[in-house]
Amino acid sequence: MKKLLTLLSLSTLLFAFRADKPKKIIFFGDSITQAGVSPTGYITKLAGMLDKSKYELVGKGIGGNKVYDLYLRMDEDVLAQKPDAVVIWVGVNDVWHKASSGTGTDPDKFEKFYQAIINKLKAQNIKVALTTPASIGERPDNTNQQDGDLNRYSQIIRNLAAKNNLPVVDLRKAFMEYNLKNNPKNEEKGILTTDRVHLNDTGNQFVAEQMAKVIEQL
Amino acid sequence: MKKLLTLLSLSTLLFAFRADKPKKIIFFGDSITQAGVSPTGYITKLAGMLDKSKYELVGKGIGGNKVYDLYLRMDEDVLAQKPDAVVIWVGVNDVWHKASSGTGTDPDKFEKFYQAIINKLKAQNIKVALTTPASIGERPDNTNQQDGDLNRYSQIIRNLAAKNNLPVVDLRKAFMEYNLKNNPKNEEKGILTTDRVHLNDTGNQFVAEQMAKVIEQL
Amino acid sequence: MKKLLTLLSLSTLLFAFRADKPKKIIFFGDSITQAGVSPTGYITKLAGMLDKSKYELVGKGIGGNKVYDLYLRMDEDVLAQKPDAVVIWVGVNDVWHKASSGTGTDPDKFEKFYQAIINKLKAQNIKVALTTPASIGERPDNTNQQDGDLNRYSQIIRNLAAKNNLPVVDLRKAFMEYNLKNNPKNEEKGILTTDRVHLNDTGNQFVAEQMAKVIEQL
Amino acid sequence: MKKLLTLLSLSTLLFAFRADKPKKIIFFGDSITQAGVSPTGYITKLAGMLDKSKYELVGKGIGGNKVYDLYLRMDEDVLAQKPDAVVIWVGVNDVWHKASSGTGTDPDKFEKFYQAIINKLKAQNIKVALTTPASIGERPDNTNQQDGDLNRYSQIIRNLAAKNNLPVVDLRKAFMEYNLKNNPKNEEKGILTTDRVHLNDTGNQFVAEQMAKVIEQL
């Protein structure tokens, strides 16, 4: 009986302890996420919106990364860190590098590697949220060179989210809607980005707010 | 008095003669226009809609042509033919070949060569109509790889038309609207094209109808 | 004593049996290797040169594969097959797809994924041989579009072989030397390939002979 | 007799006058030629080697130009300047832009535009010299990404020179030979270029010397 009580206490203690331990969420991505941990970055801003006792946000972004680069380094950079959840944000370089260096990613392979990442995370019971690639040029009239491809790869990601029953932060859609309202001069940068791709201060705040919506689902 | 009558007769005769001579209109473009003179092509269909005594339609399309190829061969293929009017339809390869062989055309150079072609035609008092590039993929949800660029180059052409006070056959807009209505399954081909780019029978008919609208302005 | 003798006999039998079991060698690559298992393919020809009781050759080639595709499917297609040795032949698509679809592989990432494949194989005590990409165009005067890049990626592979102490089948060098001797008209195909890349009958025989030289080291 | 003397005098005067008027030579090209007129540029250095009373060197280089850009601006920038001779140096961007922006020039079109430029110059009795594109990367072991294509386009230019009976300054060959002797560490820049493409001081001097060899043929 005493033994049972002790076990119960211990168990309560453990649960209490686990409740106190913040959820570790890794943001896994490219240069946008690499910059996200700077003092004004979207991850830093998002952390400021959340209860620190409940969430520990970790940035694992590396410049130039495509989906297969995430797959290659996920054992060390993600699985070994024992996160509770992972937010994947990738796709800009997979599309962009087609034109800038001839080294983008074919859509079928983009999907295949993305699914392989999801599988590895799920196998470890890690929760996953997906993100669509926001922007390579902000002109809301659909005249940015990579608009068609970004829309396509975003659709692949939305389909993966549906298929795997995962939440998606639809930055592509959110950026388009924001620019339709706030970019009357059809500028290609300077609204949410500094250079068509990377976030300015408004962009970091905007992304943090979009991300906040799915954090509680993780 | 007799002299006057003679003059009048001659004048009538001349007018009659001029009225009998059809306007020569050259369609100047790429493989789409090359196929346009086939028995089921858009130029053949358009000719069937028009009064043959008023219009002589000539196709001068060559597969793979970009804007600078038109410029290079225009002296021989267009100016030497002494047309009354020219309908320019180019742009698909300028965009497409970026991805398929690394040999597309930069937008600033696209505009420069296009303007140079217009200048040469205007200098010979040849009337000019412009055409926007219709399609590299028919999916109406803007997920065709080259949609952004096709929209951009179409906008360059619309701006050139406005700047040079020329009529424009806005095939890009017309194809998009047609697919929004008639492509519910978001197919990339088979609606107006056989292969995302080249016209099927419906496409040839559709283009002929679009072209017919500006012919009387020429 | 009898027990000991029995054990010895059994052991002898096992050794004998193991000696009878042929070495399983997987050829891991792209469409060239996919075609290698056809009746006239290089793997089939190589098998015909070897003692079947000593070597079992298995082809695991998939068309369009680049180095990261091999990495993605190696657990299932290679490790799960428990091979004694693996011959890796990849690189043509990593270079070629830069120009043909904008989806080639950057040299630094080519090296990184290649090393990751080697590491996984070595960790399972599987022997490894590397192969340099032979040809995208056979003109021996170095005027094939991808010659510079093929030479560069071949050098990356030679360096990986040296660094990891692995044998290398230097097809790039062998093909160049063969063409210098046997391609006096500077043809881009038809000497060892049918289409600049894939092997004709002479090419399959030539590759089989080159491969044979390193098989005994595996 | 007096008349004859007058004629002789006039003739002498004319010859003297013609002898006094220097030959006007235009260097027609891209950014390398644009930089050629700087105080340390190859045109400036070449002018310093020549008798100023005999040669007037004029630079007409514009950054980013490909062969069709030269064709487009040759009426204004070359023919209107009434030169005695033109040295054409183009090709680097035609090759390079394939990989860097998807807007290079196909080899058949490169040849076609190049021949069209030669034709226009010859029609005005302007002497012409051709130049092969020197370098996009100086590694002498043929591992620079664009080596194959640069060799190919250089060969097209050599063939054009032969076909049109024109002198050629074979910079491609000269740079390769120089690097084989002077680039033992296989560096990609810093031998004759600052950045793989544009000339450093040694490069400007080297090009001036190569150009000097053909100037007297013009």
Side-chain angles (χ1 to χ4, degrees):
Chain A
M1 182 66 190
K2 200 184 162 192
K3 211 167 183 178
L4 182 61
L5 278 172
T6 309
L7 269 172
L8 276 170
S9 306
L10 191 65
S11 163
T12 313
L13 201 72
L14 278 168
F15 273 116
F17 195 76
R18 282 180 66 177
D20 280 344
K21 201 181 159 232
K23 268 189 195 174
K24 184 174 187 173
I25 303 180
I26 288 182
F27 291 81
F28 193 32
D30 55 28
S31 59
I32 305 172
T33 292
Q34 191 172 18
V37 295
S38 77
T40 58
Y42 81 87
I43 297 171
T44 309
K45 285 184 195 289
L46 178 59
M49 297 174 189
L50 301 173
D51 183 343
K52 272 186 182 52
S53 69
K54 288 190 180 160
Y55 296 101
E56 180 198 357
L57 308 188
V58 177
K60 289 286 179 185
I62 293 186
N65 267 206
K66 295 164 209 159
V67 69
Y68 52 76
D69 298 306
L70 298 192
Y71 183 76
L72 182 60
R73 67 184 176 90
M74 74 179 293
D75 287 358
E76 193 174 335
D77 284 5
V78 177
L79 301 184
Q81 313 295 320
K82 305 282 180 194
D84 298 285
V86 171
V87 178
I88 305 169
W89 184 2
V90 76
V92 159
N93 294 318
D94 299 86
V95 167
W96 195 10
H97 290 194
K98 288 186 190 181
S100 63
S101 57
T103 55
T105 311
D106 286 307
D108 59 335
K109 297 192 175 171
F110 183 79
E111 183 174 352
K112 199 178 280 190
F113 273 95
Y114 212 124
Q115 182 65 59
I117 293 171
I118 294 171
N119 292 348
K120 278 203 168 193
L121 293 170
K122 282 188 154 182
Q124 305 284 330
N125 290 314
I126 297 166
K127 297 208 167 185
V128 186
L130 312 187
T131 313
T132 55
S135 159
I136 307 175
E138 299 197 60
R139 291 193 295 251
D141 68 346
N142 279 309
T143 60
N144 309 289
Q145 183 176 349
Q146 279 82 12
D147 275 350
D149 243 8
L150 272 189
N151 291 338
R152 183 171 183 192
Y153 286 59
S154 293
Q155 193 54 46
I156 291 172
I157 292 169
R158 288 181 203 112
N159 293 345
L160 282 167
K163 194 175 146 195
N164 292 278
N165 200 25
L166 300 174
V168 62
V169 187
D170 199 342
L171 293 181
R172 179 72 187 152
K173 187 161 168 275
F175 269 56
M176 181 57 84
E177 288 171 358
Y178 187 95
N179 269 284
L180 280 168
K181 283 184 201 150
N182 298 286
N183 187 358
K185 290 187 182 167
N186 205 37
E187 306 281 359
E188 70 171 2
K189 57 185 177 179
I191 311 302
L192 293 170
T193 73
T194 56
D195 61 354
R196 302 188 302 139
V197 170
H198 297 92
L199 306 172
N200 65 12
D201 198 56
T202 310
N204 273 300
Q205 180 64 32
F206 185 74
V207 167
E209 288 163 8
Q210 301 297 317
M211 293 283 190
K213 295 175 190 173
V214 302
I215 289 294
E216 58 191 24
Q217 297 176 49
L218 296 177
Chain B
M1 184 64 187
K2 197 185 167 193
K3 210 169 185 178
L4 184 60
L5 277 173
T6 311
L7 267 172
L8 276 171
S9 306
L10 190 64
S11 161
T12 312
L13 200 71
L14 277 169
F15 273 118
F17 195 75
R18 282 181 65 178
D20 279 347
K21 197 180 162 241
K23 267 188 193 173
K24 184 176 188 172
I25 304 181
I26 288 182
F27 292 81
F28 193 31
D30 54 30
S31 59
I32 305 172
T33 293
Q34 191 173 15
V37 296
S38 78
T40 58
Y42 80 87
I43 297 171
T44 309
K45 286 184 194 286
L46 178 59
M49 298 175 190
L50 301 173
D51 183 344
K52 273 186 179 48
S53 68
K54 287 189 180 160
Y55 296 101
E56 180 198 358
L57 308 190
V58 178
K60 289 286 180 187
I62 293 186
N65 267 205
K66 295 165 210 159
V67 69
Y68 52 76
D69 298 306
L70 299 192
Y71 183 76
L72 182 62
R73 67 183 177 88
M74 73 178 293
D75 287 358
E76 193 174 335
D77 283 6
V78 178
L79 300 184
Q81 313 294 323
K82 304 281 180 198
D84 298 285
V86 172
V87 179
I88 305 168
W89 185 4
V90 77
V92 159
N93 294 318
D94 300 85
V95 167
W96 197 10
H97 290 195
K98 288 186 190 181
S100 63
S101 57
T103 56
T105 312
D106 286 307
D108 59 334
K109 296 191 175 171
F110 183 80
E111 182 174 353
K112 200 179 280 190
F113 273 93
Y114 212 125
Q115 182 64 58
I117 293 171
I118 294 171
N119 291 348
K120 277 201 166 193
L121 293 170
K122 283 190 154 181
Q124 305 284 331
N125 289 316
I126 298 166
K127 296 209 170 186
V128 186
L130 312 187
T131 312
T132 54
S135 161
I136 308 174
E138 300 197 60
R139 291 193 295 253
D141 68 345
N142 280 308
T143 60
N144 308 289
Q145 183 176 349
Q146 279 81 14
D147 275 349
D149 243 8
L150 273 189
N151 290 337
R152 183 172 183 190
Y153 286 59
S154 293
Q155 193 53 46
I156 291 171
I157 291 169
R158 288 181 203 112
N159 292 346
L160 282 167
K163 194 176 147 194
N164 292 278
N165 201 25
L166 300 173
V168 61
V169 187
D170 199 342
L171 294 180
R172 178 74 187 151
K173 187 162 167 275
F175 269 54
M176 180 59 83
E177 288 170 359
Y178 187 93
N179 268 286
L180 280 168
K181 282 183 201 150
N182 299 286
N183 187 357
K185 289 188 182 167
N186 205 38
E187 306 281 357
E188 70 170 2
K189 59 185 177 182
I191 312 302
L192 294 169
T193 74
T194 57
D195 61 354
R196 301 189 304 138
V197 170
H198 297 94
L199 306 173
N200 65 13
D201 198 58
T202 311
N204 274 299
Q205 181 63 29
F206 184 75
V207 166
E209 288 163 9
Q210 301 297 317
M211 292 282 190
K213 295 176 189 173
V214 303
I215 289 294
E216 57 191 22
Q217 298 177 46
L218 296 178
Chain C
M1 184 66 191
K2 198 185 167 192
K3 211 169 183 177
L4 182 63
L5 278 171
T6 309
L7 269 170
L8 275 169
S9 305
L10 191 65
S11 161
T12 312
L13 201 69
L14 279 168
F15 273 116
F17 195 75
R18 282 180 66 180
D20 279 345
K21 198 177 161 242
K23 268 190 194 174
K24 184 173 187 174
I25 303 182
I26 289 182
F27 291 80
F28 194 30
D30 54 29
S31 59
I32 304 171
T33 293
Q34 191 172 16
V37 295
S38 77
T40 58
Y42 79 87
I43 297 171
T44 310
K45 286 184 193 289
L46 178 59
M49 297 175 190
L50 301 173
D51 182 344
K52 270 183 184 55
S53 68
K54 287 190 182 162
Y55 296 101
E56 178 197 358
L57 307 189
V58 178
K60 290 286 179 184
I62 293 187
N65 268 208
K66 296 163 208 161
V67 70
Y68 51 77
D69 299 306
L70 298 192
Y71 183 75
L72 182 61
R73 66 182 177 90
M74 73 178 294
D75 287 359
E76 194 174 334
D77 283 5
V78 178
L79 301 184
Q81 313 296 322
K82 304 282 180 197
D84 297 286
V86 172
V87 178
I88 305 169
W89 185 3
V90 76
V92 159
N93 294 316
D94 299 87
V95 166
W96 196 8
H97 289 195
K98 288 187 189 181
S100 63
S101 57
T103 55
T105 311
D106 286 306
D108 59 334
K109 296 189 176 174
F110 182 79
E111 182 174 353
K112 200 179 279 190
F113 273 94
Y114 212 125
Q115 182 64 60
I117 293 171
I118 294 170
N119 291 347
K120 278 201 168 195
L121 293 170
K122 283 190 154 181
Q124 305 284 332
N125 290 315
I126 298 166
K127 296 210 170 185
V128 186
L130 313 187
T131 314
T132 54
S135 159
I136 308 175
E138 300 197 61
R139 291 192 295 252
D141 69 346
N142 280 309
T143 61
N144 309 288
Q145 184 176 349
Q146 279 82 13
D147 274 349
D149 243 8
L150 273 188
N151 291 337
R152 183 172 182 192
Y153 286 59
S154 293
Q155 193 54 46
I156 291 171
I157 291 168
R158 288 181 203 113
N159 292 345
L160 281 168
K163 194 176 145 194
N164 292 278
N165 201 25
L166 300 173
V168 62
V169 188
D170 200 342
L171 294 180
R172 178 72 189 153
K173 186 163 169 273
F175 269 55
M176 179 59 84
E177 287 170 0
Y178 187 93
N179 268 286
L180 280 168
K181 281 183 202 152
N182 299 286
N183 187 357
K185 289 188 184 168
N186 205 38
E187 307 281 357
E188 68 171 3
K189 57 185 178 182
I191 311 303
L192 294 170
T193 75
T194 57
D195 61 355
R196 301 190 302 139
V197 170
H198 297 92
L199 305 172
N200 65 13
D201 198 58
T202 311
N204 274 298
Q205 181 63 30
F206 185 74
V207 167
E209 287 163 10
Q210 301 298 315
M211 292 284 190
K213 295 177 191 173
V214 302
I215 289 294
E216 57 191 23
Q217 298 177 47
L218 295 178
Chain D
M1 181 67 187
K2 197 185 168 191
K3 212 170 184 176
L4 181 62
L5 278 173
T6 310
L7 267 170
L8 275 170
S9 305
L10 192 61
S11 162
T12 313
L13 201 67
L14 278 169
F15 272 117
F17 195 75
R18 281 182 65 177
D20 279 346
K21 197 177 161 241
K23 269 190 193 172
K24 185 176 188 170
I25 303 180
I26 288 183
F27 291 80
F28 194 31
D30 54 29
S31 58
I32 304 172
T33 293
Q34 191 172 16
V37 296
S38 77
T40 57
Y42 81 87
I43 298 171
T44 310
K45 286 184 194 288
L46 177 60
M49 298 174 189
L50 301 173
D51 182 342
K52 271 185 183 54
S53 68
K54 288 190 180 161
Y55 296 102
E56 179 198 357
L57 307 189
V58 178
K60 290 285 179 184
I62 292 187
N65 267 206
K66 294 164 210 159
V67 70
Y68 52 75
D69 299 305
L70 297 193
Y71 182 75
L72 182 61
R73 66 183 177 88
M74 74 178 293
D75 288 357
E76 193 174 335
D77 283 6
V78 177
L79 301 184
Q81 313 295 323
K82 305 280 180 200
D84 298 283
V86 172
V87 178
I88 305 169
W89 185 4
V90 77
V92 159
N93 295 316
D94 299 87
V95 167
W96 196 10
H97 289 195
K98 289 186 188 180
S100 63
S101 58
T103 56
T105 310
D106 285 308
D108 59 334
K109 297 193 175 172
F110 183 80
E111 182 173 353
K112 199 179 280 190
F113 273 95
Y114 211 124
Q115 182 63 59
I117 293 171
I118 294 170
N119 291 348
K120 279 201 166 193
L121 293 170
K122 282 189 154 180
Q124 305 284 331
N125 291 315
I126 298 166
K127 298 210 168 183
V128 186
L130 311 187
T131 313
T132 54
S135 158
I136 308 175
E138 299 195 61
R139 290 192 295 250
D141 68 346
N142 280 309
T143 61
N144 308 288
Q145 184 177 350
Q146 280 81 14
D147 275 348
D149 243 7
L150 273 189
N151 290 338
R152 182 171 182 190
Y153 286 59
S154 293
Q155 193 53 45
I156 291 171
I157 292 170
R158 288 181 204 113
N159 292 346
L160 281 168
K163 194 176 146 193
N164 291 278
N165 201 23
L166 300 173
V168 62
V169 187
D170 200 343
L171 294 181
R172 178 75 187 151
K173 186 162 168 273
F175 269 55
M176 180 59 83
E177 288 170 359
Y178 187 94
N179 269 285
L180 280 168
K181 281 184 204 151
N182 298 284
N183 187 358
K185 290 186 182 168
N186 205 37
E187 306 280 358
E188 69 170 2
K189 59 185 177 181
I191 311 302
L192 293 170
T193 74
T194 57
D195 61 356
R196 302 188 302 137
V197 171
H198 297 92
L199 306 173
N200 64 12
D201 198 59
T202 310
N204 274 298
Q205 181 63 31
F206 185 74
V207 167
E209 287 163 10
Q210 302 297 316
M211 293 283 190
K213 296 176 189 172
V214 302
I215 288 296
E216 60 191 21
Q217 297 176 47
L218 296 177

